[in-house]
Amino acid sequence: MRTQLMAVAALAGGLSAAVGVSACGSSSSSDKGASSAVVSAPTTTTAPVTPPKPATIKVKVGGTTATIRLSKLGFSYCRANPRTCAAITSSQLKLLTTNQRNAVKAARKQVAAEEAAANQPAPAPAPAPQPAPAPAPPPSTGGGGGTTTG
């Protein structure tokens, strides 16, 4: 623990500050106070300022720009608007929560499945059933087969 504090002090204030902290050994309570003062200085200066998360994102779907409110984006939105969700770019995914990313992934699968089904050739129509053959005429039982005069 002490070596970690000294390493932090060395990085923050230089080597001379670390030697000064380790050299003052009057008591453990004063040593802790000196260490905490040195450690608190770098944490306040190294805190990165993150820009606020946007409330909406814009995506291009089929040549038109659509604006999506991030608070509305989820599985129900992506089921209703799968092409809009699938159009979210990978650079915009970092703005989404894990659940929203999963909804976008499911929408992309749904759109891919729809496109695959649309690209398949139409099934060949079933051949028309052949009409039933006409019944054969009954055989004739006449004795001469010709014409009769009367």
Side-chain angles (χ1 to χ4, degrees), residues 49-102:
V49 178
T50 58
K53 187 174 171 182
T56 60
I57 57 173
K58 294 184 185 228
V59 295
K60 197 162 203 168
V61 183
T64 61
T65 302
T67 302
I68 304 172
R69 181 166 287 179
L70 291 180
S71 62
K72 301 289 183 187
L73 183 63
F75 276 97
S76 60
Y77 180 87
C78 287
R79 274 191 215 107
N81 307 296
R83 294 205 177 272
T84 304
C85 283
I88 294 174
T89 62
S90 60
S91 64
Q92 293 170 324
L93 288 178
K94 64 185 175 199
L95 303 172
L96 306 179
T97 63
T98 305
N99 187 40
Q100 290 171 328
R101 280 187 224 124
N102 290 338

Side-chain angles (χ1 to χ4, degrees), residues 10-22:
L11 291 174
L15 187 59
S16 62
V19 171
V21 170
S22 64

Side-chain angles (χ1 to χ4, degrees), residues 144-150:
T147 59
T148 57
T149 54

